[in-house]
Amino acid sequence: MPVTIYDVAREAKVSMATVSRVINGTAVVKEDTKKRVLEAIAKLGYRPNAVARGLASKRTRTIGVIVPDVSAAFVAEMVRGIEDIANMYDYNILLVNSDAQVDREVSLIGTMWEKQVDGILYMTNVLTSREIDAFEEAQIPVVLCATEDPERRIPSVNIDNYRSGRDAVNFLLQKGCKRIGFITMDEGFSVVADRRLQGAQNRMRGQELHVIRTGRGRYETSLPVIRAYFEAHDLDGVVAASDELGLAAIHAVQDMGKSVPEDVKVIAFDNTRLAVMVRPEMTVIAQPMYDFGAVSMRLLTKLLQDEPVDNYTVILQHNIVERAST
Amino acid sequence: MPVTIYDVAREAKVSMATVSRVINGTAVVKEDTKKRVLEAIAKLGYRPNAVARGLASKRTRTIGVIVPDVSAAFVAEMVRGIEDIANMYDYNILLVNSDAQVDREVSLIGTMWEKQVDGILYMTNVLTSREIDAFEEAQIPVVLCATEDPERRIPSVNIDNYRSGRDAVNFLLQKGCKRIGFITMDEGFSVVADRRLQGAQNRMRGQELHVIRTGRGRYETSLPVIRAYFEAHDLDGVVAASDELGLAAIHAVQDMGKSVPEDVKVIAFDNTRLAVMVRPEMTVIAQPMYDFGAVSMRLLTKLLQDEPVDNYTVILQHNIVERAST
DNA sequence: CTGTTAGCGCCTTCAT
DNA sequence: ATGAAGGCGCTAACAG
C-alpha cells in the first residue's frame, strides 16, 4: 500500500488540506505545523501521486514532443535542448517519433490529447492542415521547432531559411566559385530545405544553379548520386542541405581523385558534430539545434503560464563557420 | 468543457459502465448497443482521459526512460528502438537525461515514481547501490539497457562485453599486429568500457597492451591525446572503445602522415553510422544499439503483464564487421 | 448483457 | 492558519 496524503496528514496530526498546502506552497502555513508535515513526509517516504494531481488540477506538467526521428543527430540534439529546459521548469517530456508521416502525426496528437499533456513541441518536414486541425481540436498549446509554417498560425522557433540559402551561395560566390551546385532532398520532402533552395536560387541572379536531388538525403544512398552528377558536370563549389550530404559530397570529390577545397569547395548545413569529424573539416551554415529545442520549450512555458510574449515567431540566427572545406 | 464518458453515455442512452466496456473491450457488449456507443463517441469527438484512467486503474501505460544523454548517437538509436516497441504495445515513453550523475539519477527515479510510470528502462555508465535502492523503494519494474550489473539483481539486455574486448584484440592479432593499443575512457567512467578492456588484456596473454586513456572519450579532446601517444609509441594496431574514438585514432594516424590500415590498423566499437562515413571506412565490433532498446522494452512488457520470461539477463550478439580500416 | 456504486489520490473552494 | 467536503474522469466490483 503506497502512502498517501492522508497518511501524512494523520502522522502530522493535521488535515490533508494542510499537507497539500505545504507541498504546493499554495497558501501560508504556520512554520511549526509545516515542519511537522515535512517530518511526516520524510518519515513515511511520501511521494505525491502526479496522476491524481493531474486529474484534480488538470495540469500534468508533461509536454508532448513529436519529432520525425530521434535517432537523427539534429533531432536528438534538439530534444536534448527541450529536455534541459523542460526539466528546469519542472516539466517532463513524452517523446514520440512520427517518421514525418501525416497519419501518424495526427494519431500522435490524439494520444497527446488523451494523455492530457500541457503543451506540445512539434517538428515535421511538411506541415499540413490536417495537423493544424488536430491541434485545434485537441485544444493544446503548440510550438513548432525548426519547422516552417507558411501561414504563421502557430508559434514557432526557426531560422530564416530563405536567407540562409542565400548566404551559403553567396559565400561560395565570394570564394570565387563559378559553377555551383545545391545538393538537397527531393522536392516536397522538406519545406525547410525547399526554402533554402529558393534563397540559393535567388542569390544566383539568373545564373545556373545545379540542383542535385538525393531522395531522403541519407549518406549511403546519396553518395553514388552525387558522384554520378559530379562526373557528368564540372562543378567547383557545392552547398549541401545537411552535414551528412556535405560529407557525401566531400567523399564523392575525393573518390574521383580530386580534392576539397582545391577543386571543389563544400559548405554544408547544420553543424552537427559530424562537421568536425571529417577531413577536411567542413565549413557550415551552423544551425542552433540545441537552441531550437531550448527556446521553443521556453516559449511554451510562457504560453502555459500566460506570460507576455513579444514574438510568437522566433527567428534564431544562423551563422557561417568557416573551416577547411572552402 | 471537454466531453466525458458521461456525455457519451447520455448520448448513447446507456450507462457510463457500458461505454467503458466498449472502450476497453473489457466485457461483452451487445452488438447493437456497442454500435450506438461508438457512434456517440464519434459524434461527440470523445477522447478518454488517460490521467483519470491512470488514477482509477493504477496503470498509466507510460514507461520511464532514463539515459545519460539522448544527443549521443548510440543512445538516440537505442531510444528509437525503445519507442518503436513501446508504441507497438501501446505505451508512451517519458524521456529524461541524467548525464550519468548519480544524484540526478536517483532524483529522476523519484520523478518516475511520482508520475506513476508502469516501468523503467535504465541506462547508465556505472550502476551503484544508490540507484538500486531507489528502484526498490519506488517498487517499479526495471530493465537495464546496455548497462552492466555485476550483481545481476536487475533484468538487463546487454552484449558480452568482456568477450567483445577479447574478440577485438584477437582480430588485430590475427591480422598480424604486434604492438597493440586500446583507446578508452578514464577508468571508472564506464563499467562497460572497463569490462572490454579486461577482455582485451586477457587475450594479450601477458604481452603488453598499450592503454590510452582519453577522459570522457569525446573526439575533440581525445584527438590530441591519441596523437601524442602515437608519436611516443610505435603501434601497429588499435582498438577504440567507440566509433568516435576510432575516428580520432584514424585522424591521428593520418595527421602524422601515416596511413590506415597500412601502418596502423583500427577497429572500433559500436558501428553507429559514423563508421561508414569515414575514409577508410571502419572495421567495427558492431553493437545492436536499436535492439538494446527494442529487446529491453519487449522484456519489460513481459514483466508488466506477467508473461513467462526464460531469461532475465539477455545477452545479444555482437559481431565484427570488417571494412577498410584493418 | 447492463446499470449502480465506490473509490483512485489529490486540489480547491468554502467555512471557521 | 486550518479543516471539511465536493469533485476531477474513469475503472472495477457487485448486483440484477
Side-chain angles (χ1 to χ4, degrees):
Chain A
M1 259 317 66
V3 7
T4 77
I5 199 171
Y6 282 100
D7 302 318
V8 176
R10 194 179 321 118
E11 177 74 25
K13 300 190 198 311
V14 295
S15 76
M16 51 156 303
T18 301
V19 178
S20 175
R21 285 180 189 115
V22 344
I23 292 174
N24 300 299
T26 187
V28 190
V29 177
K30 205 198 300 175
E31 201 52 46
D32 178 50
T33 71
K34 175 191 276 188
K35 183 156 161 281
R36 287 214 320 279
V37 171
L38 258 18
E39 284 171 356
I41 288 178
K43 177 177 175 190
L44 301 180
Y46 168 72
R47 287 276 180 168
N49 180 325
V51 175
R53 280 222 281 209
L55 182 59
S57 69
K58 297 180 173 307
R59 310 207 291 95
T60 56
R61 300 213 76 80
T62 299
I63 300 299
V65 176
I66 303 178
V67 296
D69 178 13
V70 239
S71 71
F74 185 114
V75 177
E77 183 71 22
M78 194 184 80
V79 170
R80 178 71 216 230
I82 291 172
E83 214 273 315
D84 280 358
I85 305 302
N87 177 58
M88 200 170 292
Y89 285 85
D90 199 27
Y91 282 100
N92 285 115
I93 70 175
L94 214 48
L95 179 77
V96 294
N97 301 106
S98 69
D99 288 317
Q101 303 192 340
V102 182
D103 284 342
R104 256 192 80 55
E105 291 172 330
V106 171
S107 152
L108 289 172
I109 293 169
T111 43
M112 291 306 176
W113 179 4
E114 295 188 355
K115 293 272 187 171
Q116 307 288 117
V117 299
D118 294 341
I120 291 180
L121 256 24
Y122 192 75
M123 178 185 193
T124 187
N125 292 347
V126 183
L127 189 68
T128 75
S129 59
R130 288 189 53 202
E131 290 123 42
I132 306 233
D133 292 346
F135 286 136
E136 295 215 333
E137 193 183 1
Q139 299 253 55
I140 305 175
V142 183
V143 173
L144 302 178
C145 308
T147 299
E148 290 270 329
D149 174 21
E151 327 265 318
R152 295 211 169 192
R153 292 205 291 170
I154 300 183
S156 65
V157 176
N158 213 334
I159 59 169
D160 183 336
N161 287 295
Y162 186 86
R163 198 160 158 221
S164 68
R166 253 184 22 198
D167 291 349
V169 166
N170 189 54
F171 183 83
L172 291 181
L173 250 17
Q174 296 203 328
K175 283 283 174 180
C177 295
K178 304 292 182 196
R179 302 172 304 282
I180 299 180
F182 193 99
I183 306 174
T184 186
M185 297 112 244
D186 285 349
E187 185 169 5
F189 178 76
S190 159
V191 175
V192 162
D194 291 349
R195 284 292 289 164
R196 290 178 189 157
L197 176 55
Q198 287 172 19
Q201 272 162 333
N202 167 281
R203 179 61 187 80
M204 292 300 285
R205 293 186 190 131
Q207 291 204 323
E208 182 186 16
L209 176 66
H210 294 259
V211 179
I212 301 135
R213 301 282 187 182
T214 64
R216 301 160 54 78
R218 295 191 93 236
Y219 174 88
E220 294 84 348
T221 51
S222 302
L223 184 56
V225 175
I226 297 170
R227 188 153 48 195
Y229 198 94
F230 282 178
E231 277 162 2
H233 305 77
D234 180 36
L235 305 184
D236 63 0
V238 294
V239 2
S242 70
D243 288 327
E244 210 170 314
L245 285 173
L247 190 50
I250 289 177
H251 287 164
V253 170
Q254 293 173 339
D255 288 354
M256 292 166 59
K258 294 193 175 181
S259 78
V260 176
E262 290 74 11
D263 301 311
V264 183
K265 301 194 192 310
V266 176
I267 180 170
F269 272 88
D270 291 359
N271 198 32
T272 59
R273 302 188 56 223
L274 202 55
V276 293
M277 295 189 190
V278 210
R279 293 308 163 89
E281 295 189 355
M282 264 192 293
T283 292
V284 295
I285 301 277
Q287 293 207 64
M289 296 164 287
Y290 181 93
D291 287 347
F292 278 145
V295 173
S296 56
M297 182 65 220
R298 177 66 184 109
L299 175 54
L300 186 53
T301 64
K302 286 181 183 167
L303 263 33
L304 293 180
Q305 46 201 50
D306 301 302
E307 280 180 43
V309 173
D310 35 51
N311 207 331
Y312 289 91
T313 303
V314 179
I315 300 296
L316 299 181
Q317 293 309 304
H318 59 272
N319 62 298
I320 297 183
V321 178
E322 189 167 1
R323 300 208 181 90
S325 69
T326 52
Chain B
M1 259 313 72
V3 9
T4 76
I5 199 170
Y6 282 100
D7 302 319
V8 176
R10 194 180 320 115
E11 177 74 25
K13 300 190 198 313
V14 295
S15 76
M16 51 159 302
T18 300
V19 178
S20 175
R21 285 180 189 114
V22 344
I23 292 174
N24 299 299
T26 187
V28 189
V29 176
K30 205 199 299 176
E31 202 51 47
D32 178 52
T33 69
K34 176 192 274 187
K35 182 156 161 282
R36 289 213 319 280
V37 171
L38 257 18
E39 285 171 355
I41 289 178
K43 176 177 176 189
L44 301 180
Y46 168 73
R47 287 276 180 168
N49 180 325
V51 175
R53 273 211 302 198
L55 183 58
S57 69
K58 297 182 172 304
R59 311 206 289 94
T60 55
R61 301 214 74 82
T62 299
I63 300 299
V65 176
I66 304 177
V67 296
D69 179 12
V70 238
S71 70
F74 185 114
V75 177
E77 183 71 22
M78 194 184 80
V79 169
R80 178 71 216 230
I82 292 172
E83 214 273 315
D84 280 358
I85 305 303
N87 178 57
M88 200 170 291
Y89 285 86
D90 198 28
Y91 282 100
N92 286 114
I93 70 175
L94 213 49
L95 179 77
V96 295
N97 301 104
S98 69
D99 287 317
Q101 303 191 342
V102 182
D103 284 344
R104 257 192 81 56
E105 291 172 330
V106 170
S107 151
L108 289 172
I109 293 169
T111 310
M112 292 305 175
W113 179 5
E114 295 188 355
K115 292 272 187 171
Q116 308 288 117
V117 298
D118 294 340
I120 291 180
L121 256 24
Y122 192 75
M123 178 185 193
T124 187
N125 292 346
V126 183
L127 189 68
T128 74
S129 60
R130 288 188 52 202
E131 290 123 41
I132 305 233
D133 292 346
F135 286 136
E136 296 215 331
E137 193 184 1
Q139 298 254 55
I140 305 175
V142 182
V143 173
L144 302 178
C145 310
T147 298
E148 290 270 331
D149 174 21
E151 328 266 318
R152 296 210 168 192
R153 293 206 291 168
I154 301 183
S156 65
V157 176
N158 213 334
I159 59 169
D160 183 335
N161 286 297
Y162 186 86
R163 201 163 153 216
S164 69
R166 253 182 23 195
D167 292 349
V169 166
N170 189 54
F171 183 84
L172 291 181
L173 249 17
Q174 296 202 327
K175 284 283 175 182
C177 294
K178 304 292 183 195
R179 302 173 304 283
I180 299 180
F182 194 99
I183 305 173
T184 186
M185 296 111 243
D186 285 349
E187 185 169 6
F189 177 75
S190 158
V191 174
V192 162
D194 291 348
R195 284 292 288 163
R196 289 177 189 157
L197 176 56
Q198 287 171 20
Q201 271 162 332
N202 167 281
R203 179 61 186 81
M204 293 300 284
R205 297 190 187 125
Q207 291 203 324
E208 183 185 16
L209 176 68
H210 294 259
V211 178
I212 300 133
R213 300 283 186 182
T214 64
R216 300 162 53 79
R218 293 193 95 236
Y219 175 88
E220 294 84 347
T221 50
S222 302
L223 184 57
V225 175
I226 297 170
R227 187 154 49 197
Y229 198 94
F230 282 178
E231 276 161 4
H233 305 77
D234 180 35
L235 305 184
D236 62 2
V238 293
V239 177
S242 72
D243 288 327
E244 212 171 312
L245 285 174
L247 189 51
I250 289 177
H251 287 164
V253 171
Q254 293 173 340
D255 287 354
M256 291 165 60
K258 294 192 176 182
S259 78
V260 176
E262 291 74 10
D263 301 310
V264 183
K265 301 194 191 311
V266 176
I267 180 170
F269 272 89
D270 290 0
N271 197 33
T272 59
R273 301 188 57 222
L274 202 54
V276 292
M277 294 188 190
V278 209
R279 293 308 162 89
E281 295 188 355
M282 264 192 293
T283 293
V284 295
I285 300 278
Q287 294 207 64
M289 296 164 287
Y290 182 91
D291 288 347
F292 278 145
V295 173
S296 57
M297 183 64 220
R298 177 64 185 109
L299 175 55
L300 186 54
T301 64
K302 288 181 183 167
L303 262 33
L304 294 180
Q305 47 201 49
D306 300 304
E307 280 181 42
V309 172
D310 36 53
N311 207 331
Y312 289 91
T313 303
V314 180
I315 301 297
L316 300 180
Q317 294 309 304
H318 59 272
N319 63 298
I320 297 183
V321 178
E322 189 167 0
R323 301 207 180 90
S325 69
T326 51

